[in-house]
Structure formats: C-alpha cells, structure tokens
Amino acid sequence: MKYYLQGLADASRLTEPRPARDALYSAIFDLDTARKDSAALVAAADKYAAKDAFFGPGIRLNAADKLLALGDRAAAEKQLDQLAAGLTKDGPAGVVLALAQRRINMGQTDKAEALLQARATAPNADPQIVDAYASLLQSNKPDEALKIRQALVARDPSNPHYRISLAQTQAAIGDAPAALATLDEAKSMGATGKELATAARLRYLISMGLLKEAASELAADQSTAQDFASMLAVGRSWEELKRPDEARKILAAIPAYANEYPAARIALAGLDTEAGHPDVAIQALQDLSKTSPVAAAQASVPLFN
C-alpha cells in the first residue's frame, strides 16, 4: 500500500498524471478487496472521490462494484447514493448510464427510473439517456416507451438504431405489422440499417415461433450468410419443438470457424443422444474438445455428465 500511496503523490509531477492515477486508484481498491477490508475500501473511496473531482464518479462506481463483490451491499449502495447526490442535471451521460445500470443490477429499478426520467424529460436531453429510459420502461410501461421511441425517430430520422428499437417496442406491445413495417424502413437505410434490420427481423420471427420463415430468410438472403447466432437460435428452437431433422439440418450448417460452432456441435450431440446413439454423441464431443481450449471447456460439461 505504501508503494501505491507514494505513486499517487509522485503522479502530480507528471505532464499527464491521469493514467497513472487511474491505475493506482484501481490497485488500491484491488488490494483492499483482496484483503476483504470493506472499511478500508470505503475510507479510500471517500477520500479520493472528495480530492479528485475528475475521477470521483469512477471511484464511486468502482468502489460500489468491489463492495458488492465483498458482500457489503449497504456500503455499495451508499457509494451509489453519494455519486447520485453529486450529479448535476447535465452530468455526463456515461456516468448517468453506469449509475442507472448498477441500480438495476441491485434491484433498485425505481431509483434507476427516477434517475433517467429526470434527465430524459429535460430539454435537449442526451439521446443515449432517452434511449436507455425507453428500454427501462419497455417491460412495464410499453405505451410510454413507444411514445419515447417515436420521438427519438422523429428527432433523428436517419438513424437506423432508433428504428430498430422502435420496432422492438412495437413488437413488445403486440403490433406485429407495425414492427415489421418499421424494420423494412430501417432495412432501406444503407448497409448498417440493412444489417441491423435483417438480424432484428430474424430474432423476431424466432421469438414468434415462425421458424420455417426464419430458416427460409436465412437461406435466401445472402446478407445473413454469416448470421450464425440466428442459425443456432433457429436450430435450438427446432430442438425444443422436438423437430430433430430440421434442427440437425441448420445446426450442421454452422462452420467450424464460427463462434457458435461448439454450441452447435453440443446441440447435435444432444440430438444423437435422444435418438439412442450416445456413443456417437460421446465421440463427437471428444472430437470437439480437441479443436480448441474454449471448445474443450464447453464440451466437458455434457461429456462428463
């Protein structure tokens, strides 16, 4: 600890001291966490957050994370409360979003909603905060979320991301025609819009159980040729519906270089087991485990169960 404290004192002599201070603050918190010393961690956070306005928000967030890891929820919540108390109405969007996410992670959705609402409804509100506020409202207040999404699209009609989010909200309230129409609009907005809208449409079809339609679009649209995540989702859905032939066809088409390949092979092994061929499944998992350390780790769970 003495080394870190001396480093903080010496950092002020540097032309640009912030990277050094950032690393040293993190090291101090890591040491207190390793020692399981919540009191020391709180004392350090309070001290450095008060002294260093630039790193203050990050110090509070980091300390809250470490305290939660130590099981000290009350102290973590106090760090977040202190951060919230010091935030101005026009505080940095990144800090506001980080604070809101931690509130949500701690089950304090009401506090997250209040934090975002106060800023999302202000004049010239940051679009990131408005978007996050709409996302938070979507599950419990979808009609209000819909109005916010529509306002974001009107505010920036050339942004395909806002249209994708609007389509997701429309789908959430059960307006499938509007959702698909919005995705079609987004698809016409350049390469990015086409890519985002195509992927969102596939996810929507899968969520609706329209697996034949999703599989057909995957096969017909060349822009989805690399959408292995959707292929895996379709295959798993066919598996859940006890349609092994359809599942096997699409899962087997996922190539070895895809990130989804291990999961696809494991799913295929499961199909082999259900079909009464456990020996084939075991051999497939053993072969998979030889391809890479990551694949070996994934294959080990079903292999040894």
Side-chain angles (χ1 to χ4, degrees):
M1 181 64 77
K2 188 181 294 186
Y3 168 80
Y4 298 140
L5 296 177
Q6 185 60 51
L8 283 174
D10 293 342
S12 60
R13 302 191 191 117
L14 299 174
T15 304
E16 176 47 85
R18 285 180 295 185
R21 292 210 307 267
D22 186 22
L24 289 164
Y25 290 144
S26 294
I28 290 170
F29 293 154
D30 287 343
L31 182 58
D32 288 335
T33 303
R35 292 173 171 174
K36 298 185 175 4
D37 193 340
S38 294
L41 206 162
V42 169
D46 291 344
K47 175 182 177 180
Y48 297 123
K51 288 178 62 175
D52 195 331
F54 181 84
F55 280 107
I59 287 170
R60 296 289 187 195
L61 292 169
N62 192 0
D65 292 343
K66 301 294 188 186
L67 289 163
L68 278 176
L70 291 174
D72 195 339
R73 181 185 173 90
E77 185 174 349
K78 187 174 180 180
Q79 288 296 317
L80 297 181
D81 289 342
Q82 288 174 301
L83 172 56
L87 276 179
T88 60
K89 288 286 186 181
D90 56 350
V95 174
V96 173
L97 294 173
L99 175 56
Q101 187 59 59
R102 282 162 175 81
R103 294 292 202 194
I104 293 169
N105 293 344
M106 293 179 68
Q108 300 175 336
T109 307
D110 54 338
K111 289 188 176 182
E113 183 176 331
L115 173 72
L116 294 174
Q117 182 183 32
R119 288 156 178 81
T121 55
N124 301 315
D126 190 299
Q128 297 178 81
I129 293 178
V130 178
D131 187 55
Y133 181 50
S135 297
L136 185 60
L137 294 177
Q138 186 162 302
S139 58
N140 296 323
K141 302 175 183 177
D143 292 335
E144 192 172 339
L146 180 64
K147 293 177 183 178
I148 295 171
R149 297 289 191 202
Q150 290 170 333
L152 276 172
V153 168
R155 180 174 173 178
D156 188 358
S158 63
N159 189 326
H161 294 275
Y162 293 155
R163 292 187 187 270
I164 300 298
S165 296
L166 173 59
Q168 291 170 345
T169 303
Q170 290 167 328
I173 65 174
D175 194 347
L180 293 172
T182 301
L183 289 176
D184 287 340
E185 292 173 0
K187 195 172 182 178
S188 66
M189 299 172 69
T192 299
K194 182 177 181 180
E195 180 180 348
L196 291 172
T198 300
R201 180 182 173 87
L202 284 169
R203 288 194 299 271
Y204 182 54
L205 292 174
I206 293 167
S207 70
M208 293 291 289
L210 302 174
L211 304 184
K212 285 187 178 180
E213 290 80 356
S216 296
E217 291 201 10
L218 278 167
D221 193 338
Q222 291 301 309
S223 68
T224 63
Q226 303 294 313
D227 192 354
F228 304 122
S230 292
M231 292 173 66
L232 178 62
V234 172
R236 283 173 167 168
S237 297
W238 279 129
E239 183 181 7
E240 291 174 5
L241 293 172
K242 305 301 181 185
R243 301 283 290 274
D245 292 340
E246 289 89 342
R248 190 178 296 278
K249 181 179 179 180
I250 196 163
L251 290 170
I254 296 176
Y257 60 81
N259 291 333
E260 294 76 12
Y261 179 76
R265 290 289 133 179
I266 291 169
L268 286 167
L271 292 173
D272 288 330
T273 301
E274 291 181 7
H277 306 295
D279 54 331
V280 176
I282 291 172
Q283 185 60 56
L285 291 171
Q286 289 175 338
D287 292 342
L288 175 63
S289 67
K290 298 174 184 177
T291 59
S292 74
V294 173
Q298 293 184 41
S300 65
V301 176
L303 189 59
F304 293 107
N305 284 340

